[in-house]
């Protein structure tokens, strides 16, 4: 079986790449080559910028694929390009959408593939919805063999998954290590799902070349539900420090920040979500997410602590956290008189 990944080195795709190379796939990676040195040997590298359509067309001119997957498409115009490049050249085209595209606010916290797609809070999610609409129209009208995959919050060993953070996530861990308070949105009791990228990869590979997945949208997540308080407690425990949490409403955080907290929080992480993965398990018999979050986050913390290059500080976010926490303290004092 021959596959082409556009990207192939990100949080999600790197894990899929690693697993596929142990399973006998003939794998091609189309990317700019910036992170390929971190991948195991065995993949065929097609080095190019996907935005250079003419150059890519020359690279794939004599190639046919069982699967083409685009991990870095975010807008319909990018999929229009993919369609021109790979129409008639692949038996399956997989688009990586996002579970953030699901209805916000939710009418039911239990989510499956039938949950409506509508997110007025986040342009990223609306663009993903538009991408899905474009591809499904091609499937209905021309038989273009599309499969849509919807990940939720997927993490790897290189970055600590969090709710409220700045340009990266290390600064929150640094605050914990310095015994400083960290911000949790809301009261920390809303439910969330964290999926380890190795679990995601198994589900994804099970959909590749799967004739039952053509024309379908499938979410891939863990079945484990955690509150944000539990998530931050697990991170603190992995760091070996007590958690000093300050709970702040998502609306207040959005109003106080220049970051896109409106989309990322109000349009996503502030909502309780519990995913029903029955469809995935029907399409991929035997699939199960096996990495419990408290176990996976220990692997992530150990890796980040062992690699100083991943510990990128964000002093602006650090100062912003202090300002928000001080503002809450001042408000309490003002109300109490």
């Amino acid at each position: 079986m021959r596959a082409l990944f556009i990207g192939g080195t990100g949080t999600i795709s790197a894990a899929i790449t690693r697993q596929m190379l142990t399973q006998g796939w003939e794998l091609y990676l189309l990317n700019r080559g910036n992170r390929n040195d971190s991948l195991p040997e065995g993949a065929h590298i097609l080095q190019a910028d996907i935005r250079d359509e003419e150059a890519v067309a020359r690279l794939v001119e004599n190639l046919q694929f069982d699967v083409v997957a685009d991990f870095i498409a975010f807008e319909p115009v990018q999929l229009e390009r993919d369609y021109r490049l790979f129409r008639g050249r692949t038996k399956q085209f997989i688009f990586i959408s996002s579970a953030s595209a699901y209805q916000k606010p939710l009418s039911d916290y239990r989510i499956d593939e039938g949950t409506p797609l509508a997110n007025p809070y986040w342009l990223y999610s609306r663009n993903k919805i538009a991408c899905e609409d474009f591809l499904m129209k091609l499937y209905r009208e021309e038989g273009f063999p599309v499969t849509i995959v919807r990940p939720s919050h997927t993490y790897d060993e290189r970055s600590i998954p969090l709710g409220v953070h700045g340009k990266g996530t290390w600064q929150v861990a640094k605050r914990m290590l310095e015994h400083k308070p960290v911000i949790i949105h809301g009261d920390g009791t809303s439910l969330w799902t964290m999926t380890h990228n190795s679990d995601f990869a198994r589900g994804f590979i099970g959909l590749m070349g799967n004739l039952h997945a053509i024309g379908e949208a499938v979410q891939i997540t863990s079945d484990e539900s955690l509150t944000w308080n539990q998530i931050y407690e697990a991170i603190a425990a992995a760091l070996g420090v007590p958690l000093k949490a300050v709970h702040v409403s998502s609306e207040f955080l959005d109003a106080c920040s220049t970051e896109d907290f409106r989309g990322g929080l109000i349009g996503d992480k502030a909502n309780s979500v519990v995913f029903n993965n029955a469809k995935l398990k029907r399409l991929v018999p035997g699939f199960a997410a096996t990495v419990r979050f408290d176990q996976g986050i220990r692997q992530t913390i150990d890796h980040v602590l062992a690699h100083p290059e991943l510990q990128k500080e964000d002093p602006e976010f650090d100062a912003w956290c202090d300002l928000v926490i001080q503002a809450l303290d001042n408000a309490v004092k003002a109300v109490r008189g």
Side-chain angles (χ1 to χ4, degrees), residues 168-242:
T169 58
W170 167 250
Q171 194 65 45
V172 177
K174 187 172 185 290
R175 288 180 69 89
M176 289 183 180
L177 290 169
E178 294 173 348
H179 300 279
K180 297 175 69 174
V182 296
I183 294 171
I184 300 177
H185 61 276
D187 63 1
T189 62
S190 60
L191 294 173
W192 196 246
T193 298
M194 295 287 191
T195 306
H196 195 271
N197 66 345
S198 62
D199 284 332
F200 183 93
R202 284 192 295 275
F204 188 93
I205 293 171
L207 296 175
M208 294 179 63
N210 187 332
L211 62 90
H212 301 293
I214 302 299
E216 298 286 349
V218 188
Q219 60 194 26
I220 304 177
T221 78
S222 171
D223 291 320
E224 181 185 20
S225 296
L226 304 120
T227 68
W228 281 103
N229 287 332
Q230 290 173 320
I231 291 168
Y232 277 72
E233 286 281 5
I235 294 169
L239 288 167
V241 296

Side-chain angles (χ1 to χ4, degrees), residues 212-275:
H212 301 293
I214 302 299
E216 298 286 349
V218 188
Q219 60 194 26
I220 304 177
T221 78
S222 171
D223 291 320
E224 181 185 20
S225 296
L226 304 120
T227 68
W228 281 103
N229 287 332
Q230 290 173 320
I231 291 168
Y232 277 72
E233 286 281 5
I235 294 169
L239 288 167
V241 296
L243 175 65
K244 295 183 177 180
V246 175
H247 295 94
V248 185
S249 81
S250 299
E251 290 80 4
F252 186 81
L253 291 171
D254 174 43
C256 292
S257 176
T258 57
E259 302 289 334
D260 185 15
F261 283 166
R262 180 173 177 79
L265 285 181
I266 301 171
D268 197 26
K269 298 179 183 68
N271 298 267
S272 278
V273 291
V274 175
F275 292 97

Side-chain angles (χ1 to χ4, degrees), residues 119-181:
N119 192 331
Y121 302 104
W122 204 0
L123 179 60
Y124 165 81
S125 304
R126 295 194 297 276
N127 282 337
K128 289 289 190 180
I129 294 169
C131 288
E132 290 198 25
D133 290 342
F134 170 76
L135 289 172
M136 292 308 294
K137 185 174 187 291
L138 288 178
Y139 169 71
R140 289 190 301 268
E141 297 181 357
E142 301 183 24
F144 188 59
V146 64
T147 298
I148 293 167
V149 171
R150 296 176 186 147
S152 186
H153 203 152
T154 307
Y155 69 102
D156 67 358
E157 74 282 1
R158 294 175 291 191
S159 181
I160 303 164
L162 292 161
V164 180
H165 58 86
K167 295 181 178 66
T169 58
W170 167 250
Q171 194 65 45
V172 177
K174 187 172 185 290
R175 288 180 69 89
M176 289 183 180
L177 290 169
E178 294 173 348
H179 300 279
K180 297 175 69 174

